[in-house]
């Protein structure tokens, strides 16, 4: 039960796979939007970081201002030491809550800190840079030895003779600032994702309003191409796709009308030709079989040609009538319990005489057991004769035609398989998929209407059977008919 559920679930997922124009469209739109959003996100977060860090830097710079440096330089020039000036400055320093001030001597030792804690000597890259820079100023953003991230500005303190006696270093923690920047960045990213989802969903809806009608148009045109001219496309939008649906519907209606006229014409002509052809053939046979004593050889030969060609035309007319019934859906079967192999043997009996007369060898293998099916005997004979006739037409005199019947099981049901093989010209790989189509002729040099095999296939299908064709060009063709039986044949 679980496996069936999983299989159904996977099938549903696969059926919803986005393909074709929808996939290309979404890839293009998502790719472009993601690229633009990424650029916008980077720019926004960078500007926010610059803004916040600039604000922090301005606070630090205001603490490490020129006035603070001048305070120390004036005191030192007046004879006071750096240590006493530092103590007095720290006592009066007003920004202890937001910043920390270190007073550093010229050896890099922290003399005093505004937070009141002693500070061990540590590496201060901004102090070293300030001592080396001409303007005596440097900035540092990074972590202290205790792991706290800070922004620091260091200003050099000089005596009257321009000697560097120390520095004032003002710091402030930026961990909270970074967290705030991160929160704002996450919020911006979330907003961008919501906008991206809206864009994707709106584009997906829009593209489906195009793709869904196009799929319907595609399915309808395939059905029309297969011969289903009753198909019509529902017009959903008054746009270019709606105009396309109207055009295809109009085309289908015109094709349907023309097809009906063609079928009516074929049916009418076939019926009109059948009566005179029957009369011509009948009188020709009567004259041929009559008193021949006073008839010269040329007349005899002429009468034989008349009978032969009338018979050929009669067969062609019958094919046209069957085609007309096939097209209009009027082809029906007169079903009864029939011995299929007996009908095959009867057809072969008639066929072998003609084949031998024309120089062909026919070999067959048919089981001597009853083979009962619910079938139309006359239609089955038509199927066998059509295939045997094709084997004869497409083979060279002197070649063999082989017929074999055997029983088989298909999906637990009993079938008879009848194989008819020839050693003729064969069918090319390009033509083979189309030979069952109406009016398709793989070899135009051979006489025929091109509808016999289509009618044959339809008759087999009406018997709930199927017909296979295998062929190798210049070697021969194998036609296999599979027909269902009422019961398993008794093997005696």
């Amino acid at each position: 039960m679980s496996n069936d559920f999983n299989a159904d679930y996977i099938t549903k997922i696969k059926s919803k796979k986005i393909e074709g124009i929808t996939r290309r469209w979404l890839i293009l739109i998502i790719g472009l939007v993601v690229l633009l959003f990424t650029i916008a996100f980077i720019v926004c977060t960078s500007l926010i970081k610059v803004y916040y860090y600039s604000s922090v830097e301005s606070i630090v710079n205001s603490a490490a201002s020129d006035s603070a440096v001048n305070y120390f330089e004036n005191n030192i020039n007046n004879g006071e030491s750096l240590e006493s000036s530092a103590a007095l400055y720290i006592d009066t320093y007003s920004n202890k809550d937001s910043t920390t001030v270190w007073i550093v001597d010229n050896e890099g030792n922290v003399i005093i800190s505004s937070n009141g804690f002693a500070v061990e000597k540590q590496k201060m890259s901004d102090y070293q840079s300030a001592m080396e820079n001409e303007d005596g100023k440097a900035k540092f953003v990074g972590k202290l030895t205790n792991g706290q991230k800070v922004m620091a500005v260091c200003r050099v303190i000089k005596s009257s003779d321009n000697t560097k006696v120390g520095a004032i270093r003002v710091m402030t923690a930026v961990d909270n600032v970074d967290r705030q920047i991160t929160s704002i960045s996450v919020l911006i990213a979330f907003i961008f994702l919501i906008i991206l989802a809206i864009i994707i969903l709106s584009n997906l809806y829009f593209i489906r309003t195009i793709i869904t009608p196009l799929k319907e148009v595609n399915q309808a045109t395939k059905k029309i191409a297969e011969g289903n001219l009753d198909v019509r496309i529902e017009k959903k939008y008054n746009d270019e796709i709606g105009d396309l649906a109207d055009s295809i519907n109009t085309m289908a209606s015109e094709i349907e009308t023309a097809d009906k006229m063609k079928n009516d014409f074929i049916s009418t002509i076939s019926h009109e030709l059948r009566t005179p052809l029957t009369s011509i053939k009948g009188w020709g046979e009567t004259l041929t079989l009559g008193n021949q004593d006073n008839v010269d050889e040329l007349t005899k030969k002429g009468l034989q040609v008349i009978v032969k060609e009338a018979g050929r035309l009669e067969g062609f007319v019958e094919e046209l009538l069957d085609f007309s019934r096939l097209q209009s859906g009027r082809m029906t079967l007169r079903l009864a319990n029939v011995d299929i192999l007996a009908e095959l043997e009867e057809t072969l009996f008639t066929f072998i005489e003609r084949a031998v007369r024309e120089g062909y060898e026919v070999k067959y293998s048919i089981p001597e057991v009853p083979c009962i099916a619910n079938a139309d005997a006359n239609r089955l004979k038509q199927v066998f004769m059509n295939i045997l006739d094709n084997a004869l037409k497409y083979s060279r005199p002197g070649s063999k035609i082989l017929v074999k019947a055997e029983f088989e099981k298909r999906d637990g049901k009993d079938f008879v398989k009848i194989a008819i093989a020839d050693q003729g010209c064969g069918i090319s790989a390009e033509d083979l998929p189309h030979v069952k189509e109406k009016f398709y002729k793989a070899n135009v040099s051979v006489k025929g209407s091109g509808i016999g095999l289509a009618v044959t296939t339809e008759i087999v299908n009406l018997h709930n059977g199927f017909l296979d064709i295998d062929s190798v060009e210049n070697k021969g063709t194998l036609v296999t008919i599979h027909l269902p039986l009422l019961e398993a044949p008794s093997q005696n």
Side-chain angles (χ1 to χ4, degrees):
M1 187 70 157
S2 177
N3 291 336
D4 293 341
F5 174 79
N6 291 335
D8 293 341
Y9 184 70
I10 292 171
T11 302
K12 288 180 180 179
I13 291 176
K14 287 182 177 179
S15 67
K16 294 181 180 179
K17 185 170 66 174
I18 298 175
E19 296 177 336
I21 297 175
T22 305
R23 182 181 178 186
R24 293 199 303 271
W25 177 276
L26 287 179
I27 288 174
L28 177 64
I29 292 298
I30 292 173
L32 181 61
V33 171
V34 167
L35 177 63
L36 293 176
F37 278 6
T38 302
I39 294 172
F41 178 76
I42 293 172
V43 170
C44 288
T45 52
S46 298
L47 291 175
I48 291 169
K49 186 174 182 179
V50 168
Y51 171 76
Y52 274 90
Y53 271 62
S54 296
S55 300
V56 172
E57 188 175 356
S58 65
I59 293 171
V60 176
N61 283 331
S62 65
S65 62
D66 291 340
S67 60
V69 174
N70 291 335
Y71 168 81
F72 282 97
E73 290 180 349
N74 290 334
N75 285 349
I76 291 170
N77 291 335
N78 291 331
E80 293 186 22
S81 65
L82 180 62
E83 289 80 0
S84 61
S85 297
L88 184 59
Y89 181 80
I90 293 300
D91 286 340
T92 59
Y93 184 66
S94 59
N95 293 327
K96 293 179 181 179
D97 293 337
S98 58
T99 58
T100 300
V101 178
W102 288 356
I103 307 300
V104 188
D105 63 18
N106 57 359
E107 293 181 357
N109 298 310
V110 179
I111 299 171
I112 193 170
S113 171
S114 62
N115 59 17
F117 296 104
V119 180
E120 296 180 357
K121 187 175 182 179
Q122 56 185 284
K123 185 178 178 180
M124 296 178 286
S125 59
D126 54 320
Y127 170 78
Q128 298 294 333
S129 298
M131 286 295 185
E132 295 171 0
N133 293 340
E134 291 183 1
D135 61 354
K137 184 178 181 180
K139 185 178 76 171
F140 166 78
V141 178
K143 291 186 177 181
L144 300 176
T145 55
N146 62 4
Q148 186 182 29
K149 187 177 181 181
V150 298
M151 178 185 288
V153 172
C154 190
R155 297 284 301 271
V156 174
I157 302 170
K158 298 178 182 179
S159 62
S160 58
D161 57 358
N162 210 31
T163 301
K164 298 175 181 177
V165 297
I168 178 172
R169 191 186 194 211
V170 182
M171 299 173 293
T172 186
V174 292
D175 290 325
N176 290 334
V177 173
D178 285 346
R179 282 193 288 271
Q180 193 167 1
I181 292 172
T182 301
S183 299
I184 294 173
S185 299
V186 170
L187 179 61
I188 292 173
F190 181 70
I191 293 171
F192 280 180
L193 287 174
I194 291 175
I195 296 172
L196 178 62
I198 292 171
I199 291 173
I200 291 172
L201 291 174
S202 61
N203 274 272
L204 191 60
Y205 173 77
F206 171 72
I207 198 68
R208 281 183 176 172
T209 61
I210 298 174
I211 295 300
T212 302
L214 282 179
K215 285 182 177 179
E216 292 176 1
V217 169
N218 184 41
Q219 292 171 356
T221 52
K222 284 181 178 178
K223 290 179 180 178
I224 292 171
E226 291 169 357
N228 186 357
L229 301 178
D230 295 327
V231 175
R232 294 295 181 270
I233 303 168
E234 181 184 357
K235 182 177 179 180
K236 296 181 179 179
Y237 306 101
N238 291 317
D239 54 12
E240 290 81 356
I241 295 178
D243 294 339
L244 177 62
D246 286 339
S247 299
I248 292 175
N249 288 338
T250 302
M251 178 193 71
S253 298
E254 292 177 355
I255 293 174
E256 186 177 21
T257 302
D259 192 63
K260 186 176 184 303
M261 292 174 62
K262 178 199 69 177
N263 292 336
D264 291 344
F265 176 76
I266 290 174
S267 179
T268 301
I269 291 298
S270 299
H271 280 98
E272 291 296 326
L273 288 174
R274 177 192 265 179
T275 302
L277 277 174
T278 302
S279 300
I280 292 170
K281 183 182 178 185
W283 279 107
E285 289 173 343
T286 300
L287 293 172
T288 301
L289 298 173
N291 188 359
Q292 301 288 316
D293 296 338
N294 298 324
V295 179
D296 58 79
E297 288 300 321
L298 181 62
T299 303
K300 289 180 181 179
K301 189 173 183 179
L303 288 171
Q304 290 172 356
V305 170
I306 290 171
V307 172
K308 180 179 178 181
E309 291 303 311
R312 187 176 68 83
L313 285 174
E314 191 176 39
F316 179 67
V317 168
E318 289 299 326
E319 280 189 347
L320 285 177
L321 285 170
D322 283 338
F323 171 74
S324 176
R325 296 186 190 103
L326 176 63
Q327 288 292 93
S328 61
R330 292 182 291 108
M331 180 175 281
T332 56
L333 302 178
R334 296 180 179 178
L335 298 175
N337 287 354
V338 173
D339 188 341
I340 293 179
L341 296 185
E343 300 302 328
L344 176 61
E345 286 183 327
E346 188 174 329
T347 306
L348 278 171
F349 180 79
T350 306
F351 174 76
I352 289 173
E353 182 182 352
R354 172 191 164 195
V356 171
R357 186 172 64 248
E358 296 183 14
Y360 296 88
E361 182 181 355
V362 181
K363 291 189 174 182
Y364 62 91
S365 173
I366 301 174
E368 296 291 335
V369 293
C371 180
I372 307 302
N374 190 28
D376 186 325
N378 290 328
R379 289 297 184 186
L380 285 181
K381 286 181 182 178
Q382 181 182 350
V383 168
F384 300 147
M385 187 56 73
N386 277 347
I387 297 173
L388 289 168
D389 186 59
N390 282 343
L392 202 68
K393 284 193 296 185
Y394 291 97
S395 299
R396 296 175 298 275
S399 62
K400 296 179 181 178
I401 296 173
L402 309 173
V403 181
K404 183 179 181 180
E406 57 185 347
F407 303 108
E408 64 178 357
K409 285 276 189 181
R410 303 186 71 88
D411 298 327
K413 297 180 180 179
D414 294 295
F415 276 74
V416 61
K417 181 174 76 173
I418 301 168
I420 301 174
D422 62 56
Q423 298 173 338
C425 61
I427 305 168
S428 68
E430 294 79 14
D431 292 324
L432 190 58
H434 307 287
V435 292
K436 296 180 185 179
E437 296 175 5
K438 296 180 282 289
F439 297 110
Y440 190 89
K441 292 187 68 177
N443 190 340
V444 295
S445 63
V446 179
K447 294 180 180 179
S449 62
I451 59 176
L453 198 52
V455 172
T456 297
T457 303
E458 181 62 22
I459 293 173
V460 173
N461 291 340
L462 288 173
H463 281 87
N464 297 317
F466 60 96
L467 183 147
D468 291 327
I469 301 177
D470 294 309
S471 187
V472 178
E473 196 170 11
N474 299 321
K475 287 191 176 181
T477 301
L478 171 66
V479 179
T480 309
I481 307 164
H482 304 265
L483 294 168
L485 302 176
L486 286 178
E487 57 186 24
S490 57
Q491 302 281 352
N492 295 328

